[in-house]
Amino acid sequence: PENVLIFYGIGCSGNGANFTKSYTWHSLHGRAVPSAIGAKLANKDLTVIVMAGDGDAFGEGLGHFLHAIRGNADITYVVHDNHVYGLTTGQAAPTADKGYKAKSTPAGIIEVPVNPTSLAVTNGGTFVSRGFSGNAKHLKGLFKQAITHKGFSFVDVFQPCVTFNKINTFEWFFDRVYNVDDDATYKNTDKMAAFGKTQEWGKKIPYGVLYKAK
């Protein structure tokens, strides 16, 4: 545990700082990634992991996310993606679908959602993946691959908010997600193919290692 440092953002995921047997740092909203990069620069022997929610990561922290990818810092970024700001009782997050109605957008969102995996691929990410909390065994393996990857590794985790998001539920995801690892024809080292996978949304949604640089 003394060789691991986990940074947490603000949000429900940040409560993990109270339950983790390692060194932890509870950062400011949207600032977990630059804090983590600073720690890695100060001590290259540390295993540095960032845990944040989709609001923290792609709202307040979106600029830091993009520049961390460009710099290929050797950290792992795990995002709890539930499409809402759960800690502040269910406002729409940047990943919420267009038209989604929440207390902050009662008439429905007018913007298109942020696509984090697409941004990661196009900005030069060297390990871009998706997981689903409904498949914990696969998610565990995904975390292992991400942590051992040399460079910036990104795991976008579909993690339904059972309290505030009544649309993107476990049932909703179970009806749609499929594992790219089950497709023998898919090559996750092909950046253009990976970008195509990041564009799939609706009836079928891929998860797994979408892209890994050679």
Side-chain angles (χ1 to χ4, degrees):
E2 67 272 13
N3 297 319
V4 177
L5 176 56
I6 306 179
F7 285 80
Y8 289 90
I10 301 298
C12 295
S13 61
N15 293 325
N18 302 317
F19 305 102
T20 307
K21 187 181 179 182
S22 69
Y23 288 116
T24 62
W25 179 285
H26 208 164
S27 182
L28 298 174
H29 209 178
R31 306 296 184 260
V33 167
S35 301
I37 292 173
K40 187 66 177 183
L41 289 171
N43 185 347
K44 64 180 178 59
D45 295 324
L46 280 175
T47 295
V48 179
I49 302 167
V50 181
M51 293 278 187
D54 53 332
D56 186 285
F58 311 129
E60 291 80 3
L62 182 61
H64 294 302
F65 172 56
L66 297 178
H67 294 301
I69 294 168
R70 293 177 59 233
N72 199 30
D74 189 16
I75 64 174
T76 298
Y77 197 15
V78 177
V79 177
H80 304 235
D81 193 346
N82 55 27
H83 295 42
V84 297
Y85 283 90
L87 187 69
T88 51
T89 68
Q91 296 85 353
T95 51
D97 289 323
K98 185 176 181 179
Y100 180 80
K101 294 180 179 180
K103 62 170 58 179
S104 59
T105 52
I109 301 172
I110 62 173
E111 298 95 352
V112 297
V114 168
N115 185 331
T117 51
S118 177
L119 288 172
V121 169
T122 57
N123 280 274
T126 55
F127 185 97
V128 181
S129 64
R130 276 197 191 124
F132 175 42
S133 61
N135 188 344
K137 183 177 180 180
H138 174 266
L139 191 58
K140 176 182 176 181
L142 203 59
F143 286 160
K144 286 184 176 181
Q145 292 183 69
I147 292 169
T148 57
H149 174 76
K150 296 302 180 183
F152 187 86
S153 54
F154 174 53
V155 187
D156 187 33
V157 182
F158 293 141
Q159 183 171 301
C161 176
V162 299
T163 303
F164 296 111
N165 188 339
K166 305 301 183 183
I167 303 297
N168 308 111
T169 62
F170 276 100
E171 291 77 14
W172 189 91
F173 280 108
F174 275 123
D175 287 342
R176 291 166 172 79
V177 296
Y178 71 94
N179 189 347
V180 296
D181 299 335
D182 295 333
D183 182 359
T185 65
Y186 179 66
K187 304 300 181 185
N188 61 19
T189 55
D190 183 335
K191 181 175 283 191
M192 292 305 296
F195 180 77
K197 287 295 182 184
T198 69
Q199 299 302 297
E200 292 183 21
W201 188 265
K203 293 183 179 180
K204 293 293 182 181
I205 303 172
Y207 71 101
V209 179
L210 302 181
Y211 179 69
K212 186 174 182 180
K214 294 181 180 179

